[in-house]
Amino acid sequence: MELNGLRVSRETQERLQHFAELFTKWAKAINLVAPSTMGDMWSRHIADSAQIFQISPHPQTWIDLGSGGGFPGVITAIFLTEQQQGWVHLVESNNKKAAFLRTALRETGARGEVHAVRIEDAPVAIAACDAISARALADLDKLIEYAAPWMAGKENNRAYFHKGRDYRREIQKAHGRWTFDLLEHNSAVEQDSVILEISNLQRLV
């Protein structure tokens, strides 16, 4: 099996398939993603989320903010399982969604844990990380504010944020309060979308 040109082992494929089945079952009871996107879950959500790991395939410690239905946090945690290293801290304050995430991690054997807390309170529970991810959560300025406790002044840390076609406006707005290095990775799944890789974060105001 391949996702965006990335060769996926049989074991990882089985974990992803089991996650997809769990997701479909739970989504009937709680709102995990927009119902209109359920029909193309593999390309719209799973393959899109897998791009994070393709960009940064290292066995590192991740924090996934606003994990919701598990994109990209659970997908990253599944890929890390094959490496037998690395860990994903999934931050999700909604208790029903957190229960789904715990079930997904447990049943797929993925390398992660769930923190059912508000993002603003997460630095108390999670002291440090190497990388941060978020998808469909907030505009870039707000995402950087969320990530700052783990990133500001730490030159080796990275954040990876999925963004749609209006991302340049969001970058301009964020530069009003922050300085940062930026790499734009064009999405292999969504036209006009990108994954923004942010590093060397510093607060201006």
Side-chain angles (χ1 to χ4, degrees), residues 66-181:
S67 297
F71 306 117
V74 173
I75 306 304
T76 301
I78 286 173
F79 278 105
L80 287 174
T81 302
E82 191 165 329
Q83 295 189 348
Q84 299 182 345
Q85 296 181 73
W87 197 255
V88 183
H89 296 278
L90 296 97
V91 180
E92 176 53 58
S93 62
N94 182 290
N95 286 323
K96 290 182 179 180
K97 292 179 180 178
F100 162 71
L101 294 169
R102 290 191 182 101
T103 300
L105 292 173
R106 182 177 66 251
E107 294 199 15
T108 61
R111 294 183 63 82
E113 63 185 297
V114 179
H115 303 267
V117 298
R118 296 170 67 246
I119 293 172
E120 295 87 345
D121 298 329
V124 176
I126 311 165
C129 68
D130 304 304
I132 296 170
S133 60
R135 180 175 181 265
L137 178 62
D139 69 17
L140 183 61
D141 183 59
K142 189 65 174 178
L143 288 174
I144 291 175
E145 184 177 315
Y146 286 151
W150 298 286
M151 287 192 64
K154 299 178 177 65
E155 62 180 69
N156 292 324
N157 287 13
R158 299 283 188 275
Y160 301 87
F161 299 137
H162 287 79
K163 281 294 161 188
R165 62 184 62 189
D166 199 30
Y167 71 93
R168 294 192 186 280
R169 179 195 59 80
E170 293 189 31
I171 293 171
Q172 185 176 10
K173 178 183 176 184
H175 274 307
R177 291 206 299 150
W178 312 91
T179 63
F180 49 86
D181 293 341

